């Protein structure tokens, strides 16, 4: 765990729960792609950099979820690096309380105010192509979050963040977090068309051919969409749809799973509503999802 593995002349990746990247800007200066899930991850990254005699110039965050930005604060405080993140995700990194508030839809209960959903705040600047070091390009891959990006290095290595979920996780948990189902499917199409020497998703093993994993993720998304739609054969409230999906996949409910999977299922409902495959009804002051308009 936290082993530095070479992927090219200037590109390394770190084996850990949320895989990180290191790109050598020069002989001494490097940039880090994401920073792990907490301050301990940050400490391990700092140790790796010190062992190589490298200076951390900047952190490039793919998106704002806590397991990708958890080392930001420690590394920034200790090493004085700049941090860049894309679009709306940058605001969530500056104000991490937004994440559980967004997921819950109100002030988050104490069970949601933890490091799994709330990283420590850090000073972050807007990520644009102009701030990238020479040799790195970015690709917008929204859907999992508001404005997630992937990065391509001069060694023809792609860091794909959470644009894909690994096979084992798909088979065990089925419902991976999504904010925008339509945008996610469009991002899968982008990834499927990429060429590269190595593809590194954050939560799946690196591989030379990414297309089979893209297809598995696409199939699972469409499967879940159909499960959600079928559950509304008789009109159901949002809570009842969430319950039906959890029961279909034998998932266990707790506070964190409720907001992560629940928010995702709401996104599926919105997706199906936009496609006019589900409709809204209001009965006795309850919002119901149904196959036909009421």
């Amino acid at each position: 765990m936290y082993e530095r593995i070479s992927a090219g002349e200037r590109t390394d990746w770190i084996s850990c729960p949320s895989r990180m990247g290191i790109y050598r800007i020069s002989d001494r200066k490097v940039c880090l792609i994401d920073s792990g899930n907490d301050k301990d991850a940050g400490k391990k990254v700092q140790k790796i950099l010190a062992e190589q005699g490298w200076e951390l110039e900047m952190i490039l965050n793919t998106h704002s979820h806590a397991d990708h930005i958890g080392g930001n604060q420690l590394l920034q405080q200790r090493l004085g690096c700049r941090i860049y993140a894309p679009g709306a995700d940058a605001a969530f990194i500056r104000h991490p309380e937004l994440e559980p508030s967004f997921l819950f839809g109100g002030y988050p209960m104490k069970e949601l105010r933890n490091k799994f959903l709330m990283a420590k705040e850090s000073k972050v600047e807007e990520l644009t192509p102009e701030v990238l070091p020479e040799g790195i390009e970015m690709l917008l891959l929204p859907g999992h979050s508001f404005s997630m990006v992937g990065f391509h290095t001069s060694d023809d290595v792609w860091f794909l963040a959470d644009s894909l979920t690994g096979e084992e996780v798909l088979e065990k948990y089925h419902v991976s977090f999504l904010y925008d189902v339509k945008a996610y499917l469009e991002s899968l199409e982008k990834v499927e068309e990429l060429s590269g020497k190595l593809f590194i998703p954050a939560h799946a093993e690196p591989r030379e051919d990414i297309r089979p994993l893209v297809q598995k993720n696409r199939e699972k998304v469409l499967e879940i969409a159909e499960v959600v739609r079928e559950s509304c054969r008789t009109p159901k409230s949002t809570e009842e749809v969430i319950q039906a999906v959890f029961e279909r996949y034998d998932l266990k409910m707790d506070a964190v799973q409720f907001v992560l999977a629940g928010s995702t299922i709401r996104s599926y409902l919105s997706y199906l509503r936009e496609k006019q495959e589900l409709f809204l009804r209001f009965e006795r002051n309850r919002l119901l999802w149904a196959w036909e308009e009421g």
Side-chain angles (χ1 to χ4, degrees):
M1 193 64 73
Y2 290 92
E3 177 186 3
R4 180 180 63 87
I5 301 170
S6 175
E9 184 179 352
R10 301 171 66 182
T11 309
D12 297 337
W13 62 280
I14 299 174
S15 176
C16 57
S18 293
R19 290 173 178 81
M20 295 176 264
I22 300 175
Y23 184 75
R24 292 187 285 287
I25 302 170
S26 65
D27 288 341
R28 292 189 59 83
K29 295 185 181 295
V30 302
C31 76
L32 183 68
I33 297 173
D34 287 335
S35 65
N37 60 338
D38 57 20
K39 65 180 182 181
D40 290 332
K43 291 176 182 177
K44 290 170 182 174
V45 170
Q46 185 180 8
K47 181 180 178 183
I48 289 171
L49 300 180
E51 288 172 348
Q52 300 299 316
W54 291 337
E55 298 175 10
L56 183 59
E57 180 81 1
M58 64 180 73
I59 298 172
L60 304 176
N61 286 141
T62 58
H63 63 298
S64 62
H65 294 164
D67 58 331
H68 293 259
I69 65 168
N72 276 14
Q73 186 187 79
L74 179 136
L75 290 168
Q76 189 171 59
Q77 289 178 346
R78 290 188 175 186
L79 304 178
C81 61
R82 301 176 81 166
I83 301 174
Y84 297 94
D89 286 78
F92 277 60
I93 298 173
R94 295 187 194 103
H95 306 284
E97 68 275 7
L98 290 174
E99 184 68 23
S101 300
F102 156 71
L103 292 169
F104 186 59
Y107 182 76
M109 51 189 161
K110 65 178 182 179
E111 288 85 355
L112 304 178
R113 301 194 304 274
N114 56 56
K115 73 173 187 176
F116 300 106
L117 297 180
M118 277 182 64
K120 297 294 185 181
E121 73 276 2
S122 52
K123 298 176 182 177
V124 63
E125 303 172 59
E126 180 73 16
L127 175 63
T128 64
E130 291 73 25
V131 305
L132 293 174
E134 184 177 354
I136 291 187
E137 301 172 326
M138 71 180 194
L139 175 67
L140 290 174
L141 295 172
H144 174 74
S145 75
F146 299 97
S147 44
M148 190 178 75
V149 298
F151 294 105
H152 182 233
T153 77
S154 60
D155 294 307
D156 207 13
V157 176
W158 284 96
F159 290 92
L160 296 174
D162 288 359
S163 61
L164 296 160
T165 300
E167 296 94 338
E168 292 183 2
V169 176
L170 284 177
E171 291 170 7
K172 183 176 181 179
Y173 296 106
H174 301 281
V175 183
S176 299
F177 180 80
L178 294 182
Y179 166 65
D180 183 333
V181 177
K182 181 175 182 290
Y184 181 76
L185 290 170
E186 291 171 349
S187 290
L188 286 182
E189 291 181 5
K190 289 184 187 179
V191 173
E192 192 171 38
E193 294 172 359
L194 295 177
S195 61
K197 184 181 76 174
L198 187 67
F199 300 90
I200 305 176
H203 303 291
E205 288 301 315
R207 59 202 68 201
E208 295 178 0
D209 186 358
I210 201 64
R211 290 169 295 180
L213 186 58
V214 170
Q215 184 59 22
K216 286 184 181 296
N217 277 261
R218 180 187 291 117
E219 289 171 356
K220 181 58 70 173
V221 168
L222 297 177
E223 173 190 303
I224 292 168
E226 184 59 20
V227 169
V228 170
R229 194 185 77 85
E230 278 292 324
S231 75
C232 300
R233 186 179 288 271
T234 57
K236 283 186 173 59
S237 68
T238 302
E239 297 284 320
E240 289 170 329
V241 175
I242 294 171
Q243 181 184 29
V245 174
F246 268 71
E247 291 178 351
R248 165 66 175 79
Y249 290 113
D250 195 27
L251 301 175
K252 304 302 179 184
M253 182 74 75
D254 60 25
V256 172
Q257 281 299 315
F258 174 75
V259 294
L260 288 175
S263 175
T264 299
I265 292 164
R266 289 183 179 90
S267 294
Y268 276 98
L269 288 166
S270 294
Y271 168 71
L272 293 166
R273 174 69 183 89
E274 292 296 315
K275 294 180 67 180
Q276 293 192 312
E277 293 185 20
L278 288 180
F279 299 91
L280 300 181
R281 290 185 183 181
F282 288 91
E283 296 180 5
R284 299 177 61 189
N285 292 323
R286 294 174 69 222
L287 184 155
L288 301 178
W289 301 90
W291 280 19
E292 297 178 352
E293 291 186 277

